[in-house]
Amino acid sequence: MTNAGDRGFRSSADSLHSDGPSGDMAESYDLADTSYSARTRRLVGANPQMYSPLDGNDPQRNSMNMDYSSPPVTPYDSYDAYRSPSHPIEVSPMSKQSTFGPGRSSFSTQQTKQNLVQRRAGEVSSWGIHWWTPTCIVVLFLLGFAAAFGHHAFYQSLDGHPAREQLKMIRYGTAFAFFVKATLVGSVALSFRQRIWYSFRRKAMSVDAIDGLFAAVEDPTMFFRWEMIKGAKIATLMAAATWLIPIAAVLSPASLVTGVSTVSNDTICQNVASLDFSIEGTKNFRTPTIKNGLQGVALSYFNTTDISATTPGWFDYYDQPSKNARRTAVMSVYSKSPVEPESVTVMSCGQSWNCTYTMHFVGPGYKCSELASGVGSNTDALAAMAAPFNTSTLAPEGNNIYTSVVDLGEYLNPQVPTGNNGEPLDNTPIPADLGAFKTEPVLWIGYTINTTEPLPADSPYAAKWKTVMIPKIFSCEHWEANYTVFMNYTIGRPSATVIERNWIAPIVNTSLGHFPNGTLDPSSINPSLNYVLSDTDVPRYKLTTAYHSLGKILREFLAGYIDHEQSYPVLHTDISDTKLINIKTWFPVENLQDAVQFLYEDIILSLLSDPQFLVNTNTSVPCTRTKRANVYQYRARDLWLGYTVVLAITLAFVIVGFISMHSNGVVSDTVFSRIMATTRNPTLDQLSVGTCLGSDPFPCDLRKAKLKFGVLEEKEGSGGFMVDGVWIAGAKVAHCAFGTEDETGPIVRRRAYAGLTRQPEYG
């Protein structure tokens, strides 16, 4: 093989140490002429034997069937390569120094360069999809998907909770949003790189359009290049997505807002007020009970046979309802609702909280049943049960619109004459049944409903009444019941609703006898075995006194009647002080039977208002607490509206990226190394003359030049490629690069491609 000296080739180091200009090459020339042909003429000079890299006039190279599609040397030794020994190129003193400083060549060393060239000689491009980029695309998408759900879970955990540390929570949400944006944009960007190479292979585009595709993901002005949009529509959409996906990072944090809302939590409410009437059974008035710093109060007052409680056989017996019980009951009746407790809301619910809960207790109640409804209704049955009246006493037959008998068998007070200390007066005989509860009076109540319907003219009652009247009779017995009460404290105001009452047994399970005329005889009460005695079962007796006191207070309001003989009503009862009377008409309410039960329950529940009552206790119950507060409000729809769109778009473009990779047969990129490898084309070298600095403005005619990525025309000769370390000479090895449309052909998958045709070694 001809050596480099014979052919006019020298190393860069030799050229830098030449003795100066030689012969015709020393002639002066215009440095402003920077065209490729001008530079070629300067290199060739006056020596007709020196060849041009464009004309292929080197006979020695022609004889070797060399490929003239590119110069045989690298840019680092181009001037030496084109210099003949007899016509050396003059090199300025500055150029004789190493570019990288003293002691180093421009490519580290010539030997390093030669070794790299030798090592790369004959290499063939490898087909196949390397795992790294597909993995990155999938992992980035999955990370974005997971972060979106993490963002949702984070905001959902805040929803409805007090709006504390708002700035910190918004920052966390923004971090989630930007992480989703970064990962999804990264996944689309990697897929976009695969797509543009797919487009480059299939359609020739101008340099301007190619520039746009390479820079679209980082320069939004590229979208003004119509040819890019027209020639690579899907790739352009993918690039646009990398700019639009970040909008989700703006919308998603806004899905968490704050506002005044009802905060609710299920918990255990401590110190909830409840009722325990059994405490009355153990109370001894001689021993004060301190509650909440105050002396406890019973529902009943007692007399006694021995105030000192030392006489054998002494006992206490019932006197009357206590003043506190009467005061609380009257307040409830007049307010037409249970008395509101003071500070109970704070104790039960907590400061600034509302709460609801259900409580259970055993207490007294009136069990009512209807006996008659309508004129002449159930007269015989009423007579058989010795009812104190029938419907004939009620309008329209009678004059009464309300009547009651509620004291048959009432406990006598006083039982015996007593002194100031509550003991029987001296020499007063003490009956065996002193203080005994023989019965609890039954409530016999009759009333008339004014329907306001006009009375027919032929009615026998038309002379007195103008509307249809319906008389009703019912009775109520005093029972012990198990109550279930729903309590609702809202803004400090309680509301109690009895949702269930289970009747247990009559408080005193006896009944009145009958006189010979069939009326009730209060002096005959049977069976006597069911009397509640004061000196036998003391706890039961004292519990009965508590029930009796509350019942007696109610009965005092119900006793009497309302006469409507005149055109106006005449009241002989305190029932008008209660909610049982319609104050507009002075007729009883239509549902009087139920209303009597509710009125009694109002009195019972009012006991919760005074913590001094012995029956008023505290307990712990499950409750639901609520309050109006500034809380986080998560609008999941707003979050997922943005995320769903960007996730769907990203997934679609990831699929496009994988299809492009499969079609390309390789994984591609847009980094410098890939651009360097895919632009090795002498035609591009010729087109690029005068633009090596890459400066703006770029030549307009070059920007319009259409290029395509494909296979350049194959050359015959000493080409070849390496297979398992063995050089196969003389084979056709195609080269893939950007080129003009007429010089490039389609890339065939799995076919061997290398680079520029392998050149023979020199020297």
Side-chain angles (χ1 to χ4, degrees), residues 474-493:
F474 65 90
S475 66
C476 300
E477 296 181 359
H478 208 189
W479 280 54
E480 188 177 45
N482 192 339
Y483 286 95
T484 300
V485 180
F486 178 76
M487 299 296 297
N488 184 352
Y489 288 90
T490 303
I491 317 178
R493 304 199 62 178

Side-chain angles (χ1 to χ4, degrees), residues 8 14 36 38 83 122 144 147 199 230 239 312 370 394 403 429 433 446 494 505 533 548 574 598 611 707 714 727 735:
D14 292 340
Y36 194 98
R83 184 188 63 179
S199 301
K230 183 179 179 181
E370 186 175 86
L394 299 170
T403 189
D433 58 357
L533 304 177
H548 179 83
D574 290 334
F598 297 154
L707 301 179
E714 297 180 359
W727 176 255
H735 171 53

Side-chain angles (χ1 to χ4, degrees), residues 89-100:
I89 299 176
E90 180 179 7
V91 182
S92 68
M94 180 66 70
S95 66
K96 293 183 180 182
Q97 299 178 8
S98 170
T99 304
F100 300 100

Side-chain angles (χ1 to χ4, degrees), residues 36-263:
Y36 194 98
S37 58
R39 288 200 302 272
T40 304
R41 288 195 302 272
R42 292 171 199 149
L43 291 173
V44 177
N47 189 349
Q49 302 300 320
M50 187 63 186
Y51 66 89
S52 165
L54 299 180
D55 57 18
N57 289 328
D58 182 3
Q60 187 173 3
R61 291 189 64 189
N62 289 336
S63 64
M64 298 173 61
N65 293 321
M66 298 295 292
D67 183 5
Y68 305 116
S69 60
S70 66
V73 290
T74 67
Y76 300 102
D77 54 5
S78 58
Y79 286 106
D80 294 338
Y82 300 140
R83 184 188 63 179
S84 69
S86 61
H87 295 82
I89 299 176
E90 180 179 7
V91 182
S92 68
M94 180 66 70
S95 66
K96 293 183 180 182
Q97 299 178 8
S98 170
T99 304
F100 300 100
R104 297 178 60 189
S105 72
S106 59
F107 195 79
S108 183
T109 64
Q110 279 297 314
Q111 187 60 43
T112 301
K113 179 191 69 174
Q114 294 296 341
N115 289 342
L116 179 58
V117 171
Q118 291 292 333
R119 188 163 58 252
R120 295 298 305 167
E123 290 290 339
V124 179
S125 295
S126 60
W127 288 93
I129 298 175
H130 190 262
W131 63 271
W132 176 250
T133 297
T135 301
C136 287
I137 293 174
V138 173
V139 169
L140 286 173
F141 176 76
L142 293 178
L143 286 175
F145 186 78
F149 270 96
H151 196 177
H152 163 74
F154 175 63
Y155 277 0
Q156 196 169 51
S157 69
L158 296 176
D159 188 32
H161 287 72
R164 303 188 183 99
E165 299 181 308
Q166 296 182 36
L167 184 59
K168 181 187 290 187
M169 298 303 108
I170 293 299
R171 285 174 177 172
Y172 289 159
T174 302
F176 271 110
F178 274 89
F179 184 81
V180 173
K181 167 257 181 186
T183 52
L184 296 185
V185 167
S187 183
V188 173
L190 291 176
S191 301
F192 167 77
R193 294 177 184 179
Q194 315 311 311
R195 184 66 190 185
I196 62 174
W197 287 100
Y198 176 91
S199 301
F200 293 154
R201 293 187 183 193
R202 282 157 181 77
K203 189 170 184 179
M205 287 182 277
S206 68
V207 173
D208 197 43
I210 295 173
D211 281 348
L213 288 174
F214 274 120
V217 295
E218 57 191 31
D219 183 356
T221 63
M222 297 296 109
F223 292 101
F224 293 104
R225 306 190 178 194
W226 173 248
E227 186 182 354
M228 178 191 80
I229 299 173
K230 183 179 179 181
K233 298 180 180 65
I234 295 179
T236 302
L237 288 175
M238 296 172 76
T242 63
W243 289 95
L244 298 178
I245 286 175
I247 294 177
V250 178
L251 297 178
S252 53
S255 59
L256 183 69
V257 297
T258 59
V260 177
S261 180
T262 300
V263 179

